[in-house]
Amino acid sequence: MAAPHRTQQERSSRTRARLLEATVECLVERGYAGTTVAEICQRAGLSRGAQQHHFTTKAELMTRALEHLFTRLADEIVATRLPTGPDRLEKGIDLLWEAYSGTLSTAAVELWVAARTDEELRGHLLPVDRALGHATLEFYRRLVGDGDAAELETVLLLTVNLFRGLALDAMIGGDDGRRAALLAEWKALVLRRRAG
Amino acid sequence: MAAPHRTQQERSSRTRARLLEATVECLVERGYAGTTVAEICQRAGLSRGAQQHHFTTKAELMTRALEHLFTRLADEIVATRLPTGPDRLEKGIDLLWEAYSGTLSTAAVELWVAARTDEELRGHLLPVDRALGHATLEFYRRLVGDGDAAELETVLLLTVNLFRGLALDAMIGGDDGRRAALLAEWKALVLRRRAG
């Protein structure tokens, strides 16, 4: 049987995805400063010319890679692991913790820190970072459904910022068991707050 | 009147402090990757040879600069602004927030993130980071005095990790007002937890 014919658009979209995955890999392995567009292209099996057809600069490529990773994780959660039932907020916190304990968090922290002293990167990153923040909040609004929207936003923002801090702790080799204990304490605090 | 005679040791200690201050300045302005030992020496008015008499590598210089900054802030707080009275825990949280909103936090986050992909820096930074963590905990134990030590450690660790996350938010240009509101929420949660 002949392989299905791929359109130009399908090929372009696959190439783009391969480039973005290679970008995340490099960023996580080498950090922002240690990553070059040349190495990303080599990993993705693309020439520099073919890459520039998709993204013009390292800063744009990196920002789109973060967005791509976020969207892939969010799609996967919505498609297969959306929590239900009365403890869905608690399960939702676990999902957020999972997202903040892995590649997404490492990539995001690398970019945020690099963006502090890199104006071009900051210009690309800020609107994407805000959009991802809003998407996360919207996800939790739909998940929890009932209750005070401002209250949910406060809990979510405290949780996100705590998890960012814990992600930093993990990045520098802090103790796993201590982080797990802090997560349990935090869930107890949040649930008590909602109950009280 | 003649200037007081400075011993060799005094001169060396002043040179060391000047070098460490210049290191923090460069780190905050340019980030870890963008900082060179040559520029630090230039700002401190030292030759490379004179610098190498004090510190052998960029990683060592950076780690000692973080330690120096922490010690200076801690000494200043203990000497002039140690909170007293029944609301000393709340005031203590404000002091920690202040420490995590400024230069110390920016310098620490730069080094933590760089250390993830730089083994030499990680080797220098990890023991210093642990020692500073213990010193902070010890400070709060003495400040609060009474109560359950494990409980205080949990509250402090949650607070430190939340503040690390909020420091990242500030680094990428997040909203000041929102961070202030989250700080107020957090203090209310901590104080209710201790009361309840």
Side-chain angles (χ1 to χ4, degrees):
Chain A
M1 202 170 80
H5 178 71
R6 284 198 213 146
T7 64
Q8 173 66 28
Q9 199 186 343
E10 278 167 351
R11 277 196 304 272
S12 173
S13 152
R14 276 167 188 253
T15 303
R16 190 177 189 277
R18 210 165 68 225
L19 197 52
L20 295 175
E21 306 274 346
T23 305
V24 170
E25 263 179 45
C26 275
L27 183 59
V28 168
E29 268 179 47
R30 306 201 183 278
Y32 187 80
T35 296
T36 61
V37 175
E39 184 180 348
I40 294 170
C41 290
Q42 197 185 4
R43 286 202 193 200
L46 277 185
S47 70
R48 281 297 289 272
Q51 171 265 319
Q52 278 164 350
H53 175 68
H54 293 272
F55 307 99
T56 51
T57 62
K58 176 176 165 181
E60 192 197 350
L61 185 54
M62 290 281 188
T63 304
R64 292 297 160 205
L66 181 68
E67 198 175 38
H68 172 76
L69 184 57
F70 177 93
T71 307
R72 206 186 56 189
L73 273 179
D75 287 351
E76 186 242 333
I77 287 169
V78 169
T80 62
R81 297 192 296 156
L82 203 63
T84 53
D87 59 350
R88 61 197 184 283
L89 175 62
E90 196 182 344
K91 287 184 188 162
I93 293 177
D94 286 332
L95 279 177
L96 197 65
W97 170 257
E98 213 183 287
Y100 271 89
S101 313
T103 304
L104 178 64
S105 156
T106 303
V109 170
E110 282 285 343
L111 294 189
W112 287 329
V113 171
R116 190 182 69 82
T117 49
D118 181 331
E119 204 178 324
E120 192 208 344
L121 178 60
R122 200 161 60 240
H124 282 284
L125 192 61
L126 263 184
V128 168
D129 189 65
R130 286 204 179 122
L132 303 189
H134 287 144
T136 305
L137 182 57
E138 204 38 57
F139 175 84
Y140 280 88
R141 280 201 187 118
R142 269 181 293 147
L143 184 66
V144 179
D146 54 353
D148 180 343
E151 161 71 15
L152 181 66
E153 181 164 352
T154 299
V155 166
L156 182 69
L157 286 174
L158 284 172
T159 305
V160 163
N161 281 291
L162 174 65
F163 287 5
R164 281 176 174 167
L166 290 170
L168 268 180
D169 183 67
M171 283 169 77
I172 56 162
D175 181 51
D176 283 347
R178 196 175 72 178
R179 277 197 305 284
L182 290 175
L183 170 66
E185 285 289 337
W186 176 246
K187 286 201 292 189
L189 257 177
V190 166
L191 299 173
R192 209 185 311 159
R193 179 188 161 105
R194 279 178 65 88
Chain B
M1 204 170 81
H5 178 73
R6 282 199 215 145
T7 64
Q8 173 66 27
Q9 199 185 346
E10 277 166 352
R11 278 197 304 272
S12 172
S13 152
R14 276 167 186 253
T15 303
R16 188 177 189 277
R18 212 165 69 227
L19 197 52
L20 295 175
E21 307 276 344
T23 304
V24 169
E25 264 179 44
C26 276
L27 183 58
V28 168
E29 268 178 48
R30 306 202 183 277
Y32 187 80
T35 296
T36 60
V37 175
E39 185 180 347
I40 295 170
C41 290
Q42 198 185 5
R43 288 203 192 201
L46 276 186
S47 70
R48 282 298 290 272
Q51 171 265 320
Q52 279 165 349
H53 174 68
H54 292 273
F55 307 99
T56 50
T57 62
K58 176 175 165 183
E60 192 196 351
L61 185 54
M62 292 282 188
T63 305
R64 293 298 159 203
L66 181 68
E67 197 176 40
H68 173 77
L69 185 57
F70 177 93
T71 307
R72 206 186 57 189
L73 273 179
D75 287 352
E76 187 243 335
I77 287 168
V78 170
T80 63
R81 296 192 296 156
L82 203 62
T84 53
D87 60 349
R88 63 195 183 284
L89 176 62
E90 196 182 344
K91 287 184 188 161
I93 292 177
D94 286 333
L95 278 177
L96 197 64
W97 171 258
E98 214 183 284
Y100 270 89
S101 312
T103 303
L104 178 64
S105 154
T106 303
V109 171
E110 282 285 344
L111 294 190
W112 288 328
V113 171
R116 191 183 68 83
T117 49
D118 181 330
E119 203 179 325
E120 192 207 342
L121 178 60
R122 199 159 62 240
H124 282 284
L125 192 61
L126 263 183
V128 169
D129 188 66
R130 287 207 179 121
L132 304 189
H134 286 144
T136 306
L137 181 59
E138 204 39 55
F139 175 84
Y140 280 87
R141 280 204 187 117
R142 268 181 293 146
L143 184 67
V144 179
D146 53 354
D148 182 342
E151 161 70 16
L152 181 66
E153 181 164 353
T154 298
V155 166
L156 182 70
L157 286 174
L158 284 172
T159 305
V160 163
N161 281 290
L162 173 66
F163 287 5
R164 281 177 173 166
L166 290 170
L168 267 181
D169 183 67
M171 283 170 77
I172 57 163
D175 181 51
D176 282 348
R178 195 175 74 177
R179 276 196 306 283
L182 290 176
L183 170 65
E185 285 289 339
W186 176 246
K187 286 200 292 189
L189 257 178
V190 166
L191 298 174
R192 209 186 311 156
R193 179 188 160 105
R194 278 177 67 87

